[in-house]
Amino acid sequence: MKLLFSRNPNPRLAVATARYLKAEIAFEFASPMAPGQAERYRALNPNLTLPILVGPGWSLWEADAIACRLSRYVRSDFWRSGDDEPDMIRWISWGKERFAFACDMVHFERGTKQRYGLGPIDQALVEEGLRQFHRAAAVLEPELAAREWLVGNSISYADFRMATFLPFNDAAGLPLDDYPSIRRWYRRLEAIDAWRDPFDGLEAPQLPPVGEVRAG
């Protein structure tokens, strides 16, 4: 199998998962939206987005599906398959709709748009993203005050998924320090090599630097 990836948030999540699981797969940096590249990748993912896991005669896209496939491949409970699975899926679903969604709103304005010259920061969207972040963090904080990880007594894919955008917080500037339990939880994630630097040893060009911050 081969994982096609970039350094953007969801591909980063897939690479971190694969390396945490020590899955014996190949990694290939890809850029489906680059000029002249679309047709090469369209058959693998009609959305032309990453990550994509490729095997003999098949491809699988979307980071969550890839995490499930790789966990089964290495026979790991990182993707829960027993009684904890509904709880894990609950946190994955809620995280994508609430916590990670809010992080993405802010990161898109302060990070993505500034990296790729997509226009000035929309301060109203930043403020809405921060409002949603605080609302979601207020739910997550007491949960993580009572446990180290989101599901059971060990790390699961729910933790990785919830934290998708936090490695990019140097650009987003989310107020994590307002939530000490979330901050401690994220420090535990940062202590994991595969999460802290999933691209170690891989050919993976750096993201463009964040340009001058401009408000709209």
Side-chain angles (χ1 to χ4, degrees):
M1 290 188 287
K2 177 167 62 177
L3 182 62
L4 307 180
F5 73 95
S6 72
R7 282 186 177 262
N8 290 308
N10 281 305
R12 184 194 189 281
L13 172 63
V15 174
T17 296
R19 305 205 83 176
Y20 176 76
L21 293 170
K22 296 181 170 59
E24 294 183 359
I25 63 173
F27 296 89
E28 181 180 310
F29 187 85
S31 185
M33 302 299 289
Q37 295 298 306
E39 291 310 308
R40 176 185 175 191
Y41 294 101
R42 196 178 304 280
L44 301 176
N45 180 358
N47 302 293
L48 296 178
T49 57
L50 299 169
I52 308 170
L53 185 66
V54 181
W58 59 266
S59 64
L60 182 67
W61 35 274
E62 292 297 316
D64 297 350
I66 291 169
C68 179
R69 180 69 177 260
L70 291 177
S71 292
R72 291 184 178 186
Y73 175 61
V74 303
R75 302 182 183 276
S76 170
D77 72 345
F78 185 63
W79 182 282
R80 301 291 199 264
S81 59
D83 292 342
D84 283 343
E85 186 175 32
D87 195 29
M88 181 196 70
I89 291 173
R90 180 264 300 269
W91 284 118
I92 291 172
S93 177
W94 181 87
K96 290 177 70 174
E97 292 293 325
R98 303 296 181 183
F99 186 78
F101 178 81
C103 295
D104 188 17
M105 281 189 70
V106 179
H107 173 259
F108 181 77
E109 293 298 322
R110 291 177 169 174
T112 301
K113 286 175 70 173
Q114 307 313 305
R115 290 187 196 281
Y116 297 105
L118 301 179
I121 294 171
D122 186 326
Q123 194 59 38
L125 290 178
V126 170
E127 291 173 3
E128 175 60 18
L130 289 172
R131 186 190 69 80
Q132 293 196 35
F133 171 81
H134 284 296
R135 184 177 179 181
V139 173
L140 193 57
E141 174 71 10
E143 296 286 341
L144 290 170
R147 59 175 71 96
E148 289 192 351
W149 304 109
L150 287 169
V151 180
N153 296 318
S154 61
I155 193 171
S156 74
Y157 179 68
D159 297 290
F160 272 29
R161 168 48 82 184
M162 191 72 71
T164 301
F165 292 92
L166 298 185
F168 304 88
N169 204 39
D170 56 338
L174 295 161
L176 289 182
D177 289 341
D178 290 354
Y179 301 94
S181 297
I182 294 175
R183 183 67 239 180
R184 284 193 297 271
W185 162 77
Y186 191 61
R187 284 178 181 147
R188 286 191 286 273
L189 280 174
E190 288 182 317
I192 298 170
D193 291 342
W195 180 263
R196 185 178 61 256
D197 188 7
F199 306 112
D200 182 38
L202 300 182
E203 183 177 341
Q206 295 288 336
L207 289 171
V210 173
E212 181 181 354
V213 176
R214 295 170 293 148

